[in-house]
Amino acid sequence: MIEIRGLTKRYGDKAAVQDLSLSLAEGEIFAFLGPNGAGKTTTLKVLAGLIRPTCGAVTIGGHDILTDGLAARRLISYVPDEPFLYEKLTAREFIRMVGDLYGMEREKTEERMGVLAQQFEITGFMDDLCETFSHGMKQRVVIAAALLHEPRALVIDEVTVGLDPKMTRVLKNALQRLAHAHGVSVLLSTHVLSVAQEVADRIGILTEGRLVAVGTLDELRALQAQRGGRAD
């Protein structure tokens, strides 16, 4: 579903991402794990079509993000680490706007919005202005909006930022259900090992823009043990 080949993004002399290649299957949850500045956000923004790569190729469902961007973006949703909402809209108006942007029929939008509002417990403030929301409330609205059109690929930057423990659990369960029951490909970033460990099918370690290791948690532990053995 998601193919990244030789992705490089440079800002002047600095390489934020270097020669990154990755393939994500339908129904797989993949976590980028790494410290701040490792290249996680840059990679996800390229996938979402928000910034252009210096070189390399990215396809979503077979559609190149540069040459066939509209078709690619119809299949994907992106949740940034800082939720953006139009402050003078209510949550309901914002989610409806997202449905309109994706060309959804209003009846379908209302049906999906009702389901997602209950799932992420935003029913009680759907008609409040977004400017009144806490960070966590904004994050829940943005996640609901991202899932509205039933994307085939979901990209989430710093997946649990701003969420309390209860909503973190709700989101983790939702991601696993989307992937394993509905075949959605989920690519998320985190700097917290426990999040990647609990949610992801595979984990990729990013360091200074390079993907230095990829595998299941057990495979990464085995690789670490091997490297530790050699270092001794």
Side-chain angles (χ1 to χ4, degrees):
M1 174 55 71
I2 297 176
E3 293 283 344
I4 306 172
R5 297 186 298 276
L7 175 64
T8 296
K9 177 60 182 179
R10 303 188 69 88
Y11 295 98
D13 294 333
K14 177 178 173 55
V17 180
Q18 304 181 63
D19 195 27
L20 190 154
S21 295
L22 178 69
S23 179
L24 211 69
E26 291 186 2
E28 181 179 12
I29 302 177
F30 188 96
F32 279 131
L33 181 65
N36 293 335
K40 304 186 300 297
T41 294
T42 298
T43 302
L44 300 191
K45 284 185 174 180
V46 171
L47 283 170
L50 297 178
I51 58 177
R52 296 176 65 90
T54 303
C55 61
V58 175
T59 60
I60 310 294
H63 302 285
D64 189 282
I65 196 68
L66 295 180
T67 61
D68 198 9
L70 185 59
R73 284 190 287 273
R74 286 187 181 277
L75 297 176
I76 195 170
S77 273
Y78 171 63
V79 179
D81 57 344
E82 286 291 334
F84 175 80
L85 297 166
Y86 289 99
E87 301 284 274
K88 297 302 181 181
L89 295 181
T90 65
R92 190 182 307 278
E93 290 169 338
F94 176 79
I95 295 174
R96 280 177 178 162
M97 181 191 69
V98 171
D100 291 343
L101 289 173
Y102 279 104
M104 295 175 62
E105 295 182 359
R106 181 54 61 87
E107 182 178 352
K108 180 66 172 178
T109 295
E110 297 298 320
E111 175 188 339
R112 289 282 299 153
M113 182 164 51
V115 171
L116 292 164
Q118 288 189 344
Q119 183 176 2
F120 292 102
E121 299 183 12
I122 60 176
T123 305
F125 52 87
M126 286 290 286
D127 295 306
D128 295 341
L129 290 177
C130 294
E131 67 182 2
T132 67
F133 297 164
S134 68
H135 186 285
M137 292 164 67
K138 289 179 179 180
Q139 190 77 344
R140 286 147 65 185
V141 172
V142 167
I143 292 169
L147 297 177
L148 187 70
H149 73 289
E150 298 178 289
R152 302 310 304 157
L154 180 63
V155 176
I156 307 183
D157 196 5
E158 293 297 347
V159 61
T160 60
V161 168
L163 298 180
D164 61 31
K166 178 182 178 182
M167 290 314 303
T168 295
R169 169 51 53 198
V170 169
L171 178 59
K172 288 177 179 178
N173 290 342
L175 294 179
Q176 290 177 322
R177 184 165 57 252
L178 283 167
H180 302 151
H182 300 287
V184 177
S185 300
V186 179
L187 181 59
L188 59 91
S189 77
T190 182
H191 61 274
V192 181
L193 176 59
S194 61
V195 172
Q197 178 179 341
E198 188 172 354
V199 176
D201 300 309
R202 287 192 300 154
I203 299 170
I205 308 298
L206 270 176
T207 302
E208 297 181 346
R210 293 188 180 277
L211 190 59
V212 297
V214 176
T216 65
L217 183 62
D218 287 342
E219 289 169 344
L220 293 177
R221 283 172 172 164
L223 180 61
Q224 182 183 34
Q226 291 173 3
R227 289 176 174 174
R230 287 196 300 271
D232 292 336

